[in-house]
Structures are given as structure tokens and as C-alpha cells.
Amino acid sequence: MSVLKFHDVRRAYVSGKNVLDGVSFDVNKGEVVGLLGRNGAGKTTLVRLAMGMIAPQGGEVSLFGMDPRSQPLAVKRRIGYVSEDQILPGFLAIGQVLQLHRELFPDWDDLMADELLRRYGLEHGRRIKTLSKGQARQVALLCAVCHKPEVLILDEPAGGLDPAARRDFLETSIRLLNESGSTILFSSHHMGDVERMAGRAVMLHDGKVLVDDDLDAMQERFSLLIVPHVDAGPEEDRRARLSAHPDCLAVRDRLDGWHIVIRRTPDGALAAAADLHFDDARATVLGLEELFIELAEGQS
Amino acid sequence: MGIIIVVQPQSGVPVYRQIIEQIRFQIAGGVVRPGDELPSTRALSSHLGVNPMTVSKAYASLEQDGVLVRRPGKPLLVADRDQETVIESRREQVRVALAPAVTRIRQLGLDDETVLNIFRELIKEAKDEEAIS
């Protein structure tokens, strides 16, 4: 069952340049989807559309079948949101911020809020402006999860946090998954976090969806084939032969040879190399980070 | 928990596969024995800091292969297997662990005897180290 839907969504900057140029995907109940892409790929714009902060110029955004612009309250009650540049009012004490949320959300869980506060080592009386960046983000996360939202939307939630704070963040999100079976859409530059959290990745590139796939399946389907350089002979000819292979996604010249990203398992990649008479090739699995970099670069 | 699982993102191996391999490995090695209970999906997912779906995917696959037994409302158990299967499974684990090294070694073009000698040395060193500690 789809809880969050983007259908042919379009949005341009004031300058007229398209940020999102026909983006479509659904997020189903209970799914954890990692939103990937370089800076400027349109991740934040997409999140802001889902939150109803901006309107699409074409296409449709819906949460629980509702338009976040026309039914903001009904939608926001059921979602939690944290972003990198979220600002809580500095003059308020943590307790006052929590009180505001308690009044807004009927399902607010005081026990969970107190437990998380203790875990983060924070007290009700502390003013927001005295908190470090990491602590402020922890308060924001607490506010986003203690009403047990059906959908949690995180925009670079760990941006600028140290590893310990990132780990806390991850654990709190996982707890929400375990206790409430929530759906999560999150954008992150930390591929390790994406790998731990997400079951599926959607990658934006040039305003379009470049990849939308199961993470495990992706890792099992792609590998890196390395064909050593030879001292003599026409290297360009070797490159051309490699590029021409139907499963080849990218060919790059590296110190130890040609690096080929190939849509095959390592064994399959070796078989492909043997077919091309590259008997000295070796094949390895490919980390997600490398895979996404290669896929993005392979486009331009 | 008796079982030791360490997840390494960025290793190129999907997280659920890492969990499967490490559980199989510890069963084959006798660290985890038939009848031992596995941590719940929830406990393991928070312990490892990974999505609970990933853990249940790994558990489901091990259950499918007869390695784990599911009982309604109770923790998963390591299945009973006869000794022969355990030995066969140990052999298989060793094969899986060594296969990539064999590929590398053959690419280096060393002769078999040299390689076997290196392997014996490594085993000796490991044993010596264990004796010290």
C-alpha cells in the first residue's frame, strides 16, 4: 500500500532551471527508502514538496492519499520531519518545545520522550540556544518520533554530526521501525547509513530518477571487472571492446588497469571477460558508494 | 548473546548476506550449537544498527535452508543436524573462505608448493599466537 506518492513531479528554480523534471515513485507502507544524489540533484526540493512547504509546478504529490498543501494538518499529524537546517526557537526551553508537540499530537508518548532525553543526556530546563548543533538535532529528532509517526521524513539528518551522534540517530530511527513499523524516506550522503537503514534506494540525477531499486539486489547484480593494462598493443582498442559489451556501464582508466562496472555477478563478469579474451582479468564486488558514483558519472 | 555478528557497510556484500554468512560460520565452527536460541529480529536489528527487515530476510533464508527452526512465539533455534552434515558444512565454509585467495594466488603465478608452504606457515603463526594469549 502506497503512503507517499510522487507522480510526474516538476519544479523549477526561480531562474527557470528545472530541479525536478518528471519524478515519479511510490513509497509503500513499512518501506525504508534512501534518497540519493549529488548536491543539487533535487533531494531537498523533493522532501520540501512532500512536506507541503512548496507546491509542485506540475504533477502530483500525495501522502496517505491527501495533498499536503490542501490538508496540511491532517497530513502533518501523521508524519515526522527532521532536516539539516531545521531551526527550533532558541529562547524556548526543551520542556516547552516538547509541551508544544504534546499539544499538537494526540499520540505523543511522554515515556519515550523522557527516555530519549535521558539517553541524549539533556534536561527539560535547557534552552535551545545553549545546545550544540548535534544536541539541537537530537531534540528535533525526538520531536519527530515521539508521536509515533506513520511516515518519517529525514533530509540529511546526520549532516554535520559526529559518529556517536549519528549512531544515536540511527538507533532511534531503527527503534521507531521496530516499535511502530513506520515508513521512512531519508536523504543522506553517508552511504554506510543508507546501507544499514534502507531496503530500497532512489537516486536522483539531473532532476530525474536514475535508479530505483532494491539495495541488496543492486549489490548482487553489479560488480567491478579489472583488466590489467598491457605493455604493448592498442589500449584504445581494448577500451572500445570493453565499452561495447552490453552489460558494461562504465569504463575508467586506473593505475592497475581498466575498471569496468558491469551488470553481472563477479563470476559472470569473469565469464564476460573470457568471452572478450581478457584472460588476465579479475572481478570483485562493488561497494554501494563506488556503484553510485560510477552510475552517476556514467551518465554525464 | 553468544553469537558474534559484525556488519560492515561498504564491503560490497549486502548486509543480509553478511548476517547469513556469519551465522553459518559460527554454527559450522561449533561456537553456536544445535538448540541454541538466536536473538530476536528486533534485538539483533537494534544491536547491529540495521533495518529489522534486513535481519528477518537473513533469518528467513536460514530457515529456508534448514539451518534455523522457527517456533511460533518463541526465539529461533539452531537446527539439529547430524555430525556428517556439520563436517560437510565446515568443509564448505573453508572452501568459501579460501576460494577468493586461491583466485588471487593463481593470478600471482606462484607454484603450488610455495603457496602451500605459506599456508602452513600462516597456520603455525596463528597457533603460536593463540598459545601466547
Side-chain angles (χ1 to χ4, degrees):
Chain A
M1 194 185 76
S2 153
V3 288
L4 171 57
K5 190 180 186 68
F6 297 101
H7 178 69
D8 197 26
V9 170
R10 286 159 203 282
R11 174 84 201 191
Y13 287 120
V14 183
S15 66
K17 184 186 179 305
N18 281 332
V19 194
L20 299 174
D21 189 12
V23 166
S24 301
F25 67 93
D26 279 37
V27 180
N28 293 317
K29 190 171 162 36
E31 259 193 317
V32 183
V33 175
L35 192 57
L36 310 173
R38 290 172 171 176
N39 293 333
K43 301 184 300 275
T44 296
T45 305
L46 202 65
V47 166
R48 290 165 65 87
L49 283 162
M51 292 303 299
M53 295 171 182
I54 50 172
Q57 288 158 333
E60 200 186 316
V61 178
S62 73
L63 272 129
F64 318 108
M66 294 181 279
D67 175 354
R69 297 285 285 178
S70 63
Q71 289 171 279
L73 235 101
V75 168
K76 286 205 174 103
R77 282 232 160 104
R78 297 165 70 178
I79 59 184
Y81 167 70
V82 182
S83 79
E84 188 175 16
D85 50 9
Q86 206 163 17
I87 297 163
L88 295 164
F91 60 88
L92 289 181
I94 293 177
Q96 291 173 301
V97 173
L98 298 189
Q99 182 58 32
L100 281 174
H101 282 80
R102 187 182 296 119
E103 283 162 17
L104 277 171
F105 298 106
D107 294 332
W108 183 261
D109 184 342
D110 273 320
L111 281 176
M112 184 175 183
D114 284 341
E115 197 203 311
L116 286 176
L117 265 191
R118 267 200 306 280
R119 165 118 69 97
Y120 299 152
L122 297 170
E123 298 109 37
H124 282 93
R126 281 280 295 273
R127 295 211 178 270
I128 299 295
K129 64 183 170 203
T130 68
L131 300 176
S132 72
K133 188 176 173 183
Q135 289 171 322
R137 197 84 54 80
Q138 284 172 324
V139 174
L141 178 69
L142 198 154
C143 293
V145 299
C146 286
H147 60 290
K148 308 283 177 70
E150 289 166 66
V151 174
L152 183 61
I153 296 176
L154 307 170
D155 188 17
E156 284 294 342
L161 298 191
D162 63 43
R166 262 176 51 216
R167 175 77 196 195
D168 274 343
F169 217 98
L170 218 59
E171 275 175 8
T172 305
S173 310
I174 285 163
R175 173 168 168 187
L176 193 69
L177 283 174
N178 270 319
E179 290 181 3
S180 315
S182 303
T183 304
I184 301 183
L185 174 70
F186 77 111
S187 73
S188 180
H189 278 108
H190 286 281
M191 210 57 84
D193 291 354
V194 173
E195 215 174 321
R196 283 173 178 279
M197 287 279 294
R200 177 179 148 204
V202 172
M203 187 183 185
L204 297 177
H205 188 77
D206 277 347
K208 290 185 162 55
V209 174
L210 175 61
V211 181
D212 179 353
D213 212 338
D214 181 273
L215 271 182
D216 293 335
M218 285 189 76
Q219 291 191 79
E220 284 164 355
R221 206 180 304 137
F222 295 93
S223 53
L224 181 70
L225 184 68
I226 300 166
V227 177
H229 291 308
V230 285
D231 294 336
E235 281 282 305
E236 272 312 308
D237 173 53
R238 287 160 65 85
R239 183 197 185 108
R241 272 158 65 206
L242 291 164
S243 316
H245 194 280
D247 290 335
C248 166
L249 289 166
V251 181
R252 243 160 261 295
D253 191 359
R254 298 271 197 261
L255 221 57
D256 59 342
W258 298 103
H259 281 207
I260 301 103
V261 178
I262 187 164
R263 200 190 307 269
R264 294 226 178 164
T265 61
D267 284 345
L270 281 180
D275 287 345
L276 294 168
H277 306 290
F278 293 121
D279 297 325
D280 48 357
R282 55 201 165 87
T284 65
V285 289
L286 196 57
L288 274 185
E289 183 127 33
E290 285 168 291
L291 178 57
F292 284 113
I293 290 170
E294 297 288 1
L295 287 174
E297 285 184 359
Q299 293 303 304
S300 45
Chain B
M1 53 186 88
I3 195 155
I4 305 158
I5 300 175
V6 181
V7 164
Q8 271 186 306
Q10 295 297 345
S11 65
V13 181
V15 173
Y16 87 99
R17 283 217 168 275
Q18 297 183 30
I19 298 173
I20 291 175
E21 278 163 22
Q22 292 178 39
I23 292 177
R24 276 182 176 280
F25 211 86
Q26 289 175 74
I27 293 174
V31 177
V32 180
R33 295 168 183 284
D36 281 358
E37 289 182 350
L38 274 274
S40 70
T41 302
R42 211 165 141 160
L44 189 57
S45 109
S46 18
H47 173 72
L48 296 177
V50 303
N51 187 333
M53 299 283 266
T54 306
V55 175
S56 54
K57 187 171 175 181
Y59 277 177
S61 161
L62 288 165
E63 190 196 352
Q64 186 100 40
D65 292 347
V67 178
L68 300 181
V69 184
R70 196 178 292 273
R71 305 165 302 162
K74 289 186 181 165
L76 282 157
L77 285 183
V78 177
D80 269 319
R81 288 189 300 168
D82 54 58
Q83 205 52 28
E84 206 173 322
T85 330
V86 173
I87 291 167
E88 186 45 48
S89 151
R90 276 188 203 172
R91 284 173 167 277
E92 186 51 35
Q93 290 301 324
V94 172
R95 293 179 65 87
V96 169
L98 291 182
V102 170
T103 311
R104 286 279 169 94
I105 288 163
R106 293 201 39 218
Q107 286 164 349
L108 289 170
L110 296 174
D111 69 88
D112 296 0
E113 201 47 42
T114 313
V115 175
L116 286 175
N117 280 334
I118 294 173
F119 192 59
R120 284 192 193 99
E121 276 167 32
L122 279 173
I123 291 176
K124 188 173 176 301
E125 282 169 23
K127 280 186 180 166
D128 290 348
E129 245 170 62
E130 277 165 28
I132 293 164
S133 56

